[in-house]
Amino acid sequence: MRAAYFRQTGEPEVIEVGEVPTPQPQSGQILVRVRVAAINPIDTYIRRGTAPMPLPQPVAITGTDFAGVVEAVGPDVSRFRVGDRVWGSNQGLLGRQGTCAEYVCVDQDWAYPIPEGVSEEQAAAAALVGITAHLGLFHRAHLQAGEWVFVNGGTGGVGSMVVQMAKAVGARVITTAGSPEKAALARELGADVVALYKQEDVANIIREATGGRGVHVWYETQPPTDLDRTVELTAPRGRIIVMAGRQARPVFPNGPFYVKNLSLFGFAMFNMTADEQRVCAEDINRWLANGQLRAIIGRRFPLQETAAAHRLQEENTLGKSGTLTGKIVIVIDS
């Protein structure tokens, strides 16, 4: 099978596209013919070596998210049959092979059915970012209807999911955008208030929207740098979510934090169990099927150009170039 892989960590140029052996499903695994894969920042960190993880040898196939069709099933598989359309995430991590390939073997516990009427492209693009958004909002913060949520970057991968999921359960959303065009898209996704962070005072906008009380859930998608401001703008008994910034060491405002009865939650998606993530997938499937959730596709690349896809992701994640809105998907020729 054809796959995009690397033999050693480094710049995007270490990615090669070529023939590798087609995997065979073991007990509890399904073999998926991949139609669409998706690129996430974690894929570039693993390839670069800044998120050290065990890598398959002699080559490591890149890619975390996938959507496709079950080609074969191994012994003891009970959740799926040949021909089922499935999606999932958590591949290309912790020694598992990735999804930028014609086939991938996946443990059945990490795969989910694609609902009727939902495209494989939407399922793949919503995978990691959707599960991440859901874990923060509901597993960690226990978001309730009527509460205010703040999230940075309402048109980004995770941010756009946070906006839509919060609205799906009846919460109110404040987010940021870097341009009027992105602000309009954030409102289209359901954001109640959008601040143009390059020219507006985000803190004042949050205060005005919440009547000075602050937000109930602060979902921080960026490496935190100013927890003083975050704590000030979070309502009493509010919850702060952090899920980015491996090297971030912000000053922690202990006094203001505890006198407001605040809670701080951190998580990494790949540390969460299959059962915890399946709860997310069930909601994601329902919202995708009924039109309450959609993934924004920023760019599409063929498998042959996976290195260019990594480069574009890095330019926006690390370089803050602002040239990407939404997700990057890899369309697998078959």
Side-chain angles (χ1 to χ4, degrees), residues 17-317:
V17 177
E19 292 288 332
V20 299
T22 301
Q24 298 301 311
Q26 304 302 307
S27 179
Q29 291 185 331
I30 58 176
L31 177 67
V32 178
R33 178 185 286 273
V34 181
R35 302 295 193 192
V36 184
I39 300 298
N40 295 282
I42 187 64
D43 304 326
T44 69
Y45 303 154
I46 292 170
R47 186 218 71 235
R48 182 177 285 273
T50 53
M53 289 190 184
L55 296 175
Q57 297 296 329
V59 300
I61 299 171
T62 190
T64 313
D65 299 337
F66 70 91
V69 179
V70 176
E71 184 84 359
V73 300
D76 303 317
V77 168
S78 58
R79 294 181 183 275
F80 301 102
R81 296 179 298 180
V82 171
D84 287 347
R85 295 196 310 146
V86 295
W87 67 274
S89 188
N90 285 275
Q91 305 308 304
L93 300 167
L94 304 173
R96 295 188 284 270
Q97 287 288 18
T99 60
C100 291
E102 291 179 317
Y103 296 93
V104 64
C105 273
V106 180
D107 189 292
Q108 65 176 342
D109 289 340
W110 295 107
Y112 319 107
I114 300 177
E116 185 176 351
V118 175
S119 71
E120 289 155 354
E121 184 177 77
Q122 278 290 306
L128 182 145
V129 292
I131 293 171
T132 299
H134 195 285
L135 286 168
L137 287 176
F138 305 111
H139 184 276
R140 290 310 208 202
H142 300 288
L143 178 66
Q144 301 297 312
E147 292 189 315
W148 278 104
V149 177
F150 172 80
V151 61
N152 285 304
T155 61
V158 174
S160 62
M161 293 284 126
V162 169
V163 170
Q164 295 174 86
M165 289 181 181
K167 295 304 294 182
V169 300
R172 295 172 289 178
V173 181
I174 305 169
T175 191
T176 60
S179 69
E181 294 76 18
K182 289 185 177 181
L185 177 56
R187 292 189 185 95
E188 181 184 327
L189 295 174
D192 298 277
V193 178
V194 184
L196 292 168
Y197 68 87
K198 295 179 181 178
Q199 59 195 66
E200 295 181 310
D201 188 323
V202 176
N204 279 343
I205 289 173
I206 293 173
R207 292 189 194 99
E208 291 174 5
T210 63
R213 183 173 174 81
V215 297
H216 301 94
V217 175
W218 183 289
Y219 200 119
E220 185 56 75
T221 61
Q222 301 297 316
T225 58
D226 188 355
L227 287 178
D228 280 294
R229 186 185 77 147
T230 298
V231 167
E232 176 195 350
L233 296 171
T234 302
R237 297 182 181 270
R239 292 86 76 198
I240 301 167
I241 305 297
V242 292
M243 40 68 70
R246 288 170 176 267
Q247 305 305 317
R249 296 292 188 275
V251 174
F252 185 75
N254 183 70
F257 179 84
Y258 83 79
V259 299
K260 292 180 76 173
N261 284 14
L262 301 183
S263 299
L264 176 65
F265 297 98
F267 74 97
M269 188 197 83
F270 51 79
N271 290 332
M272 310 303 280
T273 68
D275 286 342
E276 288 168 332
Q277 294 195 38
R278 190 174 302 108
V279 172
C280 309
E282 289 170 355
D283 278 346
I284 289 168
N285 272 349
R286 185 173 71 256
W287 292 330
L288 285 171
N290 68 18
Q292 289 180 285
L293 187 69
R294 67 181 174 94
I296 301 169
I297 310 297
R299 287 285 301 276
R300 297 169 176 84
F301 288 87
L303 180 63
Q304 192 66 36
E305 296 179 21
T306 301
H310 270 238
R311 191 175 302 110
L312 177 62
Q313 184 69 70
E314 284 190 336
E315 288 171 355
N316 283 269
T317 306

